[in-house]
Amino acid sequence: MSRGAWFLLVALWGVSAFAAERVGRESLAERGYRLLTTRAYLEPDFDQQVFDELWQTWEEPLRTAAQHATPEQRRRMAFSRYGLTEAAGTDSTVALQYVPVADAGGDPAKLGWVMNCLACHGGKVAGQAIPGVPNSLYALQTLTEEVRATKLRLDKPLTHMDRGALLVPLGGSVGTTNAVVFGKLLLAYRDDKLNRISNRLPPTLIHHDMDAPAWWHMKRKQRLYIDGFAPKSPRALMQFLLIPQNGPEEFNGWQADYAAIMAWIESLEAPKYPWAIDAALAEQGRATFNRVCAECHGTYGPGSSYPERMVPIGTVATDRARFDALAGEGREHYSHSWFVKDATVDTITNPAGYVAPPLDGVWATAPYLHNGSVPTLWHMLNPDERPKVWHRSEDGYDQQHVGLEITTFDDLPATAASTAQARRYFDTRRYGKTAGGHRFADVLNDAQRRAVLEYLKTL
C-alpha cells in the first residue's frame, strides 16, 4: 500500500469513527431533525410513479417541454412548479418537504412520499435553502389536484389529501395555505382525548390563506399563531397529524418525538443578511425603530426583549379573515383538548387581534403580513404603494426593497390562463388577501423609512 493510500485509509476511518461517535451522542435537537425528515407520521400522499408522471397534467407549452426533457430535467421542473427543495446531505430523490417510505417489495416506483412539517416551514430565499424559513413557493393546491388527476388516470387509490381537497381549498395562492381551517376541521371530529367522533355536523368554515411564520421565532414565544390563542408546547405541533389513521395511542406515543422536534426548531437561528449594509444609515434606523416599532415588535441586540404584544384588530387594521375564522367555537374546543394538557399558559378563546411577530431575520421572511399579501419590507413601510396584483420570480431577491423580486399588475394578465397559473399571481382584491392596514410607518418621513429599512436588514 502506498503512503498516500495509507493516509487516505486512516482519514476515512477517522471520519467514520467520528460519525459513529456523533450518532451515539446525538443531541435532542439533532434527533428532532432526524425524526422530522425520516419518520412518517402520516400516510403517503403519492408514490414515485405518480410524481414522475405529474408532468402529463401540465398546461402547454410546459407539458411538451417536459415530454422532450430527460427524467432528471422533468424532476427539476416538478420541484420548481410545486415549490420543492432538495433534501441536502442525502442521496434521496424525494424532496425535503416529504419523508420517503420504501415499498415492502422494494419497488422504486412505489416509494411513498409522506408530507412533513417542512412542506410549509422549509423553503428557500434567493435560491438558497434556509432551515425553518417559510416555504413561500409551495403550491399545495396545484400539487394535490395534479396528483389526484394522475392517480385517477393510473387507477390508483385516493388518499385523505386527494379527497379532502375536493371539499376544503388547500391554498388560493402559491406559498400560502388554508392551514388554520385544516386544523379546525380535523379537531372538530375528535373528543377532548382525541377519540374519533363521526356523528357531528361540520363546523362553520371561513376559508382563508396564511403565510407560515419563520420557525426561528419559536424560541421567543409563549404562544402560537398570529392571534396567539394557542399555548406553545410539543403537543401543539402535532395538530396536523389528525388524520383518521392516527388515534390517541399514536399521539401519546409520539410526544417524545415532538419534544425533540421542538428542540430542533428552538435551536434555529435567524439567517444573516448576505449583502452589504450601510452601517451608519442602519444606526439611524435603529433609533427610529426603537421609538416607533419596538413597543410591539421588541428590541434587538444586547439586552433584547420581545413583548409578544397583541394589537387590537381595529388598530392593526390588516385583513381580518384569519381573526374571524376560528371564532369562539374553534378556540373553545381547542382549549379543552389533548393539545393543551401540558401547556404552561392558558388558551386565549377570545383574542383581541393579532400578535406582532418578532423580526429576527425579517429580511428572509417575505412576503409580509399574516396572509403574505405584501411582497417587500419597502411596501410594508410605504402602504400606499402596495401592489394590487403581483407575481414573483422563483429565486430573485430585491435588495433595494428588501423582499421578493416581483412584477406588478393592475389585473390578472392574459398569461394566467389556467387555474394553476393564476395561483402564481397574488391578487389582493380577493377575500382574505387584502394588503391594507399596518400603517404605523405613516408617522415617518421618507428619510426615516429608508433608515428603518436599512436597520431591518441587520436583525
Side-chain angles (χ1 to χ4, degrees):
M1 180 182 292
S2 69
R3 189 178 206 183
W6 169 254
F7 278 118
L8 178 61
L9 180 62
V10 170
L12 290 174
W13 178 86
V15 169
S16 299
F18 176 75
E21 182 184 0
R22 288 292 295 160
V23 170
R25 55 187 177 90
E26 182 181 46
S27 71
L28 186 63
E30 289 169 335
R31 178 172 181 266
Y33 183 74
R34 175 173 57 79
L35 290 170
L36 184 61
T37 54
T38 63
R39 184 167 185 179
Y41 298 96
L42 301 168
E43 65 176 355
D45 288 338
F46 47 86
D47 62 26
Q48 189 65 46
Q49 182 188 12
V50 169
F51 183 80
D52 290 343
E53 298 198 21
L54 288 175
W55 64 271
Q56 296 188 44
T57 68
W58 298 350
E59 66 278 352
E60 292 291 0
L62 191 63
R63 182 168 65 248
T64 297
Q67 181 180 4
H68 296 292
T70 67
E72 177 57 24
Q73 289 170 335
R74 280 198 294 268
R75 175 178 174 275
R76 292 176 184 173
M77 292 168 72
F79 272 44
S80 174
R81 181 175 179 84
Y82 304 121
L84 306 177
T85 52
E86 301 288 348
T90 75
D91 58 1
S92 174
T93 59
V94 174
L96 175 71
Q97 292 79 13
Y98 290 81
V99 173
V101 177
D103 171 59
D107 185 347
K110 295 181 179 179
L111 177 75
W113 287 52
V114 179
M115 185 187 295
N116 63 31
C117 301
L118 296 170
C120 293
H121 296 277
K124 59 181 181 176
V125 179
Q128 300 299 312
I130 297 177
V133 77
N135 188 0
S136 61
L137 290 164
Y138 194 35
L140 178 59
Q141 182 79 39
T142 299
L143 173 59
T144 303
E145 289 173 353
E146 294 175 358
V147 163
R148 183 172 59 238
T150 303
K151 286 180 178 178
L152 292 173
R153 181 176 61 81
L154 297 174
D155 196 25
K156 294 200 173 197
L158 301 182
T159 65
H160 69 283
M161 186 70 78
D162 306 315
R163 296 186 296 269
L166 292 170
L167 301 174
V168 178
L170 305 181
S173 300
V174 167
T176 60
T177 67
N178 194 18
V180 172
V181 170
F182 306 165
K184 180 177 180 178
L185 187 60
L186 292 169
L187 187 58
Y189 294 98
R190 301 288 179 130
D191 67 14
D192 291 349
K193 295 182 179 180
L194 302 189
N195 296 298
R196 288 177 286 273
I197 300 173
S198 58
N199 58 343
R200 281 183 176 173
L201 293 173
T204 302
L205 301 178
I206 298 177
H207 299 302
H208 63 285
D209 289 348
M210 289 287 296
D211 180 36
W215 259 356
W216 55 80
H217 292 161
M218 183 86 74
K219 67 170 74 70
R220 304 195 74 178
K221 298 179 178 180
Q222 295 187 71
R223 302 180 179 279
L224 303 180
Y225 307 124
I226 190 64
D227 59 359
F229 89 94
K232 180 179 74 174
S233 73
R235 289 191 182 197
L237 301 181
M238 303 170 70
Q239 188 176 358
F240 296 102
L241 306 183
L242 281 171
I243 61 172
Q245 293 85 343
N246 294 338
E249 182 177 350
E250 285 79 12
F251 277 87
N252 285 306
W254 290 336
Q255 284 188 79
D257 287 8
Y258 273 79
I261 290 170
M262 176 165 274
W264 176 71
I265 294 172
E266 295 196 321
S267 74
L268 296 174
E269 297 293 337
K272 302 294 185 183
Y273 186 78
W275 299 287
I277 297 175
D278 184 330
L281 185 60
E283 181 59 21
Q284 295 175 32
R286 181 187 66 80
T288 303
F289 177 92
N290 287 342
R291 176 172 56 83
V292 176
C293 311
E295 182 179 356
C296 294
H297 289 289
T299 58
Y300 301 84
S304 64
S305 64
Y306 171 60
E308 201 164 3
R309 182 179 178 185
M310 185 176 294
V311 183
I313 189 68
T315 301
V316 67
T318 51
D319 193 292
R320 62 175 294 138
R322 168 65 182 83
F323 181 74
D324 296 331
L326 289 184
E329 55 168 338
R331 299 185 186 100
E332 185 67 33
H333 185 22
Y334 188 90
S335 71
H336 299 293
S337 72
W338 179 89
F339 295 106
V340 300
K341 294 301 182 184
D342 61 350
T344 58
V345 296
D346 293 333
T347 305
I348 301 176
T349 57
N350 189 29
Y354 296 141
V355 175
L359 298 181
D360 314 71
V362 68
W363 71 271
T365 63
Y368 302 101
L369 294 185
H370 65 277
N371 60 1
S373 60
V374 180
T376 73
L377 287 175
W378 183 86
H379 289 105
M380 283 297 298
L381 296 171
N382 294 273
D384 291 333
E385 302 300 323
R386 295 172 189 169
K388 293 179 182 177
V389 180
W390 51 269
H391 177 274
R392 63 167 296 177
S393 66
E394 181 174 351
D395 292 331
Y397 190 89
D398 187 339
Q399 295 180 44
Q400 179 182 355
H401 296 101
V402 191
L404 303 181
E405 180 184 70
I406 64 166
T407 305
T408 64
F409 305 85
D410 289 328
D411 206 341
L412 281 177
T415 53
S418 71
T419 304
Q421 289 171 321
R423 291 190 189 112
R424 295 190 170 275
Y425 294 81
F426 198 103
D427 188 346
T428 65
R429 300 167 302 177
R430 294 173 56 193
Y431 178 78
K433 294 183 172 296
T434 60
H438 198 284
R439 300 193 64 100
F440 305 111
D442 285 355
V443 300
L444 306 179
N445 60 38
D446 288 345
Q448 290 170 326
R449 291 175 187 174
R450 285 195 297 272
V452 169
L453 185 66
E454 199 70 13
Y455 173 67
L456 291 173
K457 299 176 184 178
T458 71
L459 304 185

